[in-house]
Amino acid sequence: MILTVTLNTALDLTYRVPALTPHASHRITEVTERPGGKGVNVARVLAALGHEVTVTGFTGGATGRTVQDLLTATPGLVDALVPVAGPTRRTIALVDDRTGDTTQLNEPGPTITPAEWSAFQEAYEDLLAPASAVALCGSLPPGVPVGAYAGLIRLAKAAGVPVLLDTSGEPLRRGVAARPDLVKPNTEELAELTGSHDPLRGAQDARRRGARSVVASLGTNGLLAVTPEGRWHATPPARLHGNPTGAGDSAAAGLLSGLTEQLPWPQRLARAVALSAATVLAPVAGEFDRGAYEELLGRVAVTGEVSAA
């Protein structure tokens, strides 16, 4: 079982409009809702790849109940969300059909009390026992300590469970110091962490700060991996046009599935890039086009070198 942690779960709403115009009224042509938050997105892709996945984090209010109903209806996912008093947030993606661009509106999430945070940590420790890997993803809701991910990483390492961390800002800085097995920042997050705007130097610095392996998302230029085994750059076969919402989460799912399957790094990266690209091409934000994924997988270019023994 793979465990994904989404402390700031959400109900994702996607609205499509013919054209998005500021200060104007819009007629929505299509509405899609699904359980969201980065770790939930990762879990959905992992389940679609055939993995057993347990989803944990917080849930509250009517929105939280909707999220849980949608999770229960998703094959391969087990709901282990921890109830809280505050309502689960909503995120709204406004898709402009004319340009394909997406405007994102994200609520902050419920305020978590100290008692609720303690209850979550107890549940998390219990869930680690059967886990083969854990993904810690996304922002922290109000009330959760900024060092939360660092503490969760230490608990996972004590249980012998490998950890992927995908967050930003101070939670990323503190989390990296706790020595996760893999971090997956984008170029902006990596620059904020290390002060370097060169992805290779930034990834090397992030490893010196504690991360065992670093996979930097380069947007349309693919992924850069710096690991103890070597360094590689994986790129999609062509520049793709579509909705990038959730593409980074699909990449994280590809990396985590490759880790649990013990694939060589070039295969992990090819899977991650193909999943990310197939998510951009999918008609619904955050899903991936399976046909596109299977077609792209063999066309991802991976270059690099193995470290000397």
Side-chain angles (χ1 to χ4, degrees):
M1 178 268 285
I2 298 176
L3 177 65
T4 70
V5 175
T6 312
L7 296 178
N8 214 359
T9 52
L11 178 64
D12 286 349
L13 300 170
T14 301
Y15 295 152
R16 304 191 74 94
V17 296
L20 185 62
T21 304
H23 316 299
S25 178
H26 296 79
R27 185 175 297 278
I28 297 170
T29 59
E30 181 182 342
V31 180
T32 304
E33 65 176 15
R34 63 189 180 89
K38 291 181 71 64
V40 173
N41 295 340
V42 171
R44 186 186 301 105
V45 175
L46 286 168
L49 292 173
H51 292 274
E52 295 182 1
V53 190
T54 296
V55 176
T56 192
F58 296 113
T59 182
T63 305
R65 288 192 292 274
T66 300
V67 167
Q68 291 184 284
D69 289 342
L70 292 169
L71 283 174
T72 300
T74 304
L77 295 187
V78 174
D79 169 17
L81 293 170
V82 176
V84 295
T88 296
R89 67 185 178 133
R90 294 163 298 178
T91 68
I92 299 173
L94 301 172
V95 181
D96 185 327
D97 284 334
R98 178 187 56 188
T99 65
D101 293 336
T102 301
T103 300
Q104 194 79 19
L105 305 174
N106 297 329
E107 295 180 356
T111 297
I112 304 302
T113 67
E116 289 168 342
W117 175 236
S118 294
F120 171 80
Q121 291 177 89
E122 292 179 8
Y124 173 76
E125 286 194 75
D126 290 340
L127 290 168
L128 285 173
S132 57
V134 59
L136 307 174
C137 303
S139 61
L140 303 179
V144 172
V146 71
Y149 283 137
L152 298 181
I153 290 166
R154 285 190 285 268
L155 289 172
K157 291 180 73 66
V161 180
V163 182
L164 179 149
L165 176 64
D166 187 4
T167 188
S168 60
E170 187 65 12
L172 174 61
R173 188 183 70 81
R174 298 197 187 195
V176 164
R179 301 187 174 277
D181 296 270
L182 173 62
V183 295
K184 196 203 71 63
N186 60 33
T187 52
E188 292 81 8
E189 293 162 349
L190 188 59
E192 183 181 4
L193 172 67
T194 65
S196 175
H197 291 276
D198 177 272
L200 177 57
R201 290 182 180 178
Q204 291 170 330
D205 187 12
R207 289 199 65 226
R208 286 191 291 268
R209 291 167 183 258
R212 176 174 172 80
S213 298
V214 179
V215 177
S217 174
L218 309 180
T220 57
N221 292 319
L223 299 174
L224 172 69
V226 180
T227 80
E229 292 79 18
R231 66 177 67 158
W232 292 270
H233 182 200
T235 55
R239 185 176 293 272
L240 304 171
H241 299 282
N243 187 346
T245 303
D249 302 329
S250 292
L255 294 169
L256 197 60
S257 66
L259 184 156
T260 60
E261 296 171 29
Q262 299 182 326
L263 297 179
W265 271 105
Q267 292 183 36
R268 298 186 203 184
L269 293 167
R271 177 181 291 181
V273 168
L275 282 169
S276 180
T279 301
V280 172
L281 296 174
V284 176
E287 304 293 342
F288 76 93
D289 185 312
R290 182 172 291 276
Y293 163 64
E294 293 173 353
E295 191 273 332
L296 288 164
L297 184 58
R299 298 171 56 208
V300 175
V302 183
T303 59
E305 58 186 11
V306 177
S307 296

